Amino acid sequence: MSEAMKTVGEVLVDLLEANEVEVVFGIPGVHTVELYRGLSASKIRHVTPRHEQGAGFMADGYARVSGKPGVALVITGPGLTNTITAMAQARQDSIPMLVISGVNRRSSLGHGRGLLHELPDQQGMIKTLALYSHTLLNPTDLASVVDRAFAILGSGRPGPVHIEIPTDVMSAPIPTPVLRKAGATRPRADAETLQKAAILCGDASRPVIICGGGAITAEAEIRELAERIGAPVVTTVNARGMLAGHPLRVPASPSLDAVRALVSDADLVIALGTEMGQTDYDMYANGGFPILGNLIRTDIDAAQLARGPHAALSILSGAKTATAGILAFLTANSPNRGKERAAAARKAVLAELTPKIRTEIGIIDAIYKALPECTIVGDSTQAIYAGNLYCDAPRAKSWFNSATGFGALGYAPPASVGAAVADPDRPVICLVGDGGIQFSLAEIGSARDVGAKVIFLVWNNDGYQEIENFMVEADITPEGVKPSAPDFLLAAGAYGVPAMRLEKIDGLAAALVEAAGRDGPSLIEIHQTRTSGATV
């Protein structure tokens, strides 16, 4: 083989490097070893989870913190099917993820000959979920396929993208292509539309801004717009931490009556980078979110704008570009009582919540007070549900979880590892229930392997307490909600990870500071009833 020729696997690594990939998460197998041929000589770091679902969730957590696509490398068959849950979470939360899988040799595809890890139609299965899925039948198409994958990841609404490579293609020699980063083209609104939006903003006397996860890159522009028109800024779960400490912030769920009242009273609502989906806007499924008579809605996805709710003005654009464009046409400030309205909404939200939920929010506040630079990565557990209702996070990207969108259990432990890999100097708090952590308990070992500064904060309520409560409220005899749990301190110790169980919640701050001082992971258990002060 001449110097100008490399295998598909080796060129794939080169193309990933050209697209600024620094980390891949995966478990090697006989169906992917040829994709690893060039990896050790590259600058790309490989992180090994304990399960392919963990690879996908690690890629998700990495993407949310780094702002770059997370990359998972998995085998055909069970490797890919294990990754599907993570891909679905990424699809629902608009997280950029590239999944590269193997598939059996080209001559076997569609024949059902009983090969190892064979599926009837692997790509057909993934196409229902991924934004784009391609089977690399022609080895020389590799560069254009990778280019298209990264262009999709960087251009429209993010989500999972999939490339599968047959085992006989992986080792095929191909000429080394030109290595360059894929281009990305985002939609940009026309000047006439932006000018209309600016006029509506200037005429409003009681405006409100609602921000979703797609707005976090536009924080500076949104702050300026909010200040100029006096608009309270409501942040959904994936936008929490935006405008931290600002008097116009309302870090509360649109599912709450107090936030709905604020929005209902507005004469203009500006929705930026939010799908306006049920898990943020109607988590109690009571249909109480108000019909908005004067809505400006900005989204990067035309299909999402068409799904509703109906907007008086729809803007097909990223939030940053749209907000900057509106500001350029905004001729004057519109002073009003925006700060007072925001303060009243924050006060009303807290008054609306139960004492138990306020206690859990207080614990989250205590975490941020003890470790102001930390990132809290959450699972579907009661303390996270409380924070999703109200959490005054200290910065954008410092609060995210799987309790919105797809709602997967077991997300937080591997996603926390991915977050820590993306930003190794910042402690990561993995806030997870005793039920959820058992979906991915072994990822404690992955955290130890990579020296991730993850503090596994286990919220133990002896089972699936949220579901048990729901069954009781529905007059259903609870069944299946009390799975046994291991001794989490012993489980952590088995991986060589320091662990402790809190007796009193007022000892949490000291425990967190001590754990954050270590180089690798730690585990702290809070028991909802046995840890004094954890609940009311």
Side-chain angles (χ1 to χ4, degrees):
M1 189 181 300
S2 68
E3 290 185 2
M5 302 288 284
K6 289 184 176 182
T7 69
V8 165
E10 290 171 319
V11 173
L12 174 66
V13 172
D14 291 341
L15 291 168
L16 293 178
E17 279 195 320
N19 282 281
E20 300 180 352
V21 173
E22 298 175 335
V23 184
V24 297
F25 304 92
I27 301 175
V30 295
H31 285 69
T32 53
V33 289
E34 280 296 336
L35 300 182
Y36 281 76
R37 185 175 293 278
L39 199 58
S40 63
S42 75
K43 297 177 182 178
I44 297 175
R45 180 185 185 186
H46 185 274
V47 174
T48 306
R50 296 302 191 267
H51 189 281
E52 288 93 354
Q53 180 173 283
F57 284 147
M58 286 180 187
D60 178 300
Y62 176 87
R64 295 192 198 227
V65 170
S66 70
K68 299 179 179 180
V71 181
L73 184 57
V74 299
I75 66 167
T76 186
L80 186 59
T81 57
N82 285 342
T83 314
I84 285 177
T85 298
M87 294 175 71
Q89 185 76 47
R91 178 67 182 255
Q92 288 286 75
D93 281 355
S94 303
I95 305 303
M97 177 188 297
L98 173 60
V99 176
I100 302 170
S101 76
V103 70
N104 283 306
R105 63 180 183 267
R106 286 171 289 182
S107 62
S108 74
L109 299 180
H111 290 290
R113 292 170 178 155
L115 273 65
L116 179 65
H117 302 328
E118 187 177 52
L119 285 167
D121 184 358
Q122 182 169 285
Q123 191 208 19
M125 175 184 67
I126 294 299
K127 282 176 71 174
T128 65
L129 174 63
L131 300 176
Y132 167 67
S133 178
H134 184 90
T135 304
L136 188 70
L137 300 177
N138 185 343
T140 58
D141 287 341
L142 177 65
S144 62
V145 170
V146 171
D147 189 75
R148 183 176 179 185
F150 278 98
I152 291 170
L153 287 167
S155 296
R157 177 178 295 281
V161 167
H162 170 240
I163 300 171
E164 63 178 16
I165 305 178
T167 52
D168 60 318
V169 172
M170 295 177 186
S171 57
I174 58 173
T176 303
V178 174
L179 301 175
R180 58 173 180 260
K181 184 178 179 181
T185 304
R186 295 189 180 277
R188 182 184 296 267
D190 61 275
E192 182 181 356
T193 300
L194 296 171
Q195 189 172 27
K196 288 180 180 178
I199 292 170
L200 289 171
C201 289
D203 289 344
S205 60
R206 299 183 313 281
V208 170
I209 296 173
I210 305 177
C211 293
I216 57 177
T217 60
E219 184 170 9
E221 291 82 1
I222 292 169
R223 180 187 294 108
E224 182 179 349
L225 177 62
E227 289 173 348
R228 289 183 63 180
I229 66 175
V233 179
V234 177
T235 51
T236 64
V237 171
N238 286 328
R240 252 348 119 68
M242 288 183 63
L243 274 70
H246 197 286
L248 287 170
R249 79 198 185 285
V250 182
S253 171
S255 295
L256 293 169
D257 290 342
V259 177
R260 289 175 170 183
L262 173 70
V263 171
S264 182
D265 180 63
D267 59 355
L268 177 68
V269 176
I270 308 164
L272 300 168
T274 172
E275 290 182 324
M276 304 190 78
Q278 181 185 2
T279 53
D280 271 312
Y281 289 79
D282 195 18
M283 69 168 61
Y284 298 116
N286 58 17
F289 189 76
I291 296 173
L292 304 176
N294 200 18
L295 171 66
I296 297 175
R297 190 172 179 199
T298 293
D299 202 282
I300 202 169
D301 183 2
Q304 192 62 40
L305 289 172
R307 291 186 186 109
H310 173 75
L313 183 64
S314 293
I315 303 175
L316 180 61
S317 174
K320 187 178 183 71
T321 302
T323 309
I326 293 170
L327 285 168
F329 286 106
L330 197 61
T331 56
N333 295 338
S334 301
N336 61 45
R337 300 178 60 191
K339 294 178 182 178
E340 290 85 351
R341 289 188 296 135
R346 293 194 300 270
K347 183 178 179 180
V349 163
L350 292 173
E352 177 182 342
L353 299 175
T354 66
K356 177 181 179 296
I357 291 174
R358 289 200 299 271
T359 297
E360 292 163 352
I361 292 171
I363 292 171
I364 293 167
D365 290 342
I367 294 171
Y368 282 129
K369 185 176 181 180
L371 299 175
E373 295 301 312
C374 79
T375 298
I376 297 180
V377 180
D379 214 78
S380 292
T381 192
Q382 287 193 321
I384 291 297
Y385 298 142
N388 283 350
L389 289 173
Y390 189 96
C391 173
D392 209 355
R395 67 182 189 287
K397 300 184 181 181
S398 64
W399 173 269
F400 60 86
N401 55 77
S402 62
T404 60
F406 200 57
L409 275 169
Y411 166 87
S416 295
V417 175
V421 169
D423 192 350
D425 296 327
R426 197 183 296 277
V428 177
I429 309 299
C430 171
L431 186 49
V432 60
D434 58 299
I437 194 173
Q438 292 185 76
F439 278 60
S440 50
L441 183 64
E443 302 301 354
I444 293 175
S446 302
R448 184 178 184 276
D449 287 349
V450 299
K453 191 174 286 189
V454 176
I455 303 171
F456 296 92
L457 191 57
V458 181
W459 190 272
N460 189 344
N461 53 29
D462 297 320
Y464 302 131
Q465 188 65 54
E466 188 73 16
I467 302 303
E468 181 176 355
N469 293 346
F470 188 85
M471 295 175 84
V472 170
E473 291 168 4
D475 197 26
I476 298 170
T477 301
E479 191 67 53
V481 294
K482 292 293 186 185
S484 60
D487 185 315
F488 292 111
L489 274 62
L490 293 177
Y495 285 106
V497 172
M500 68 168 296
R501 184 176 292 117
L502 279 184
E503 293 185 5
K504 297 181 179 181
I505 202 66
D506 57 13
L508 178 59
L512 289 171
V513 171
E514 181 181 355
R518 301 188 182 108
D519 290 332
S522 304
L523 184 144
I524 300 170
E525 181 183 344
I526 297 175
H527 195 281
Q528 185 167 279
T529 56
R530 296 177 201 148
T531 299
S532 175
T535 192
V536 294

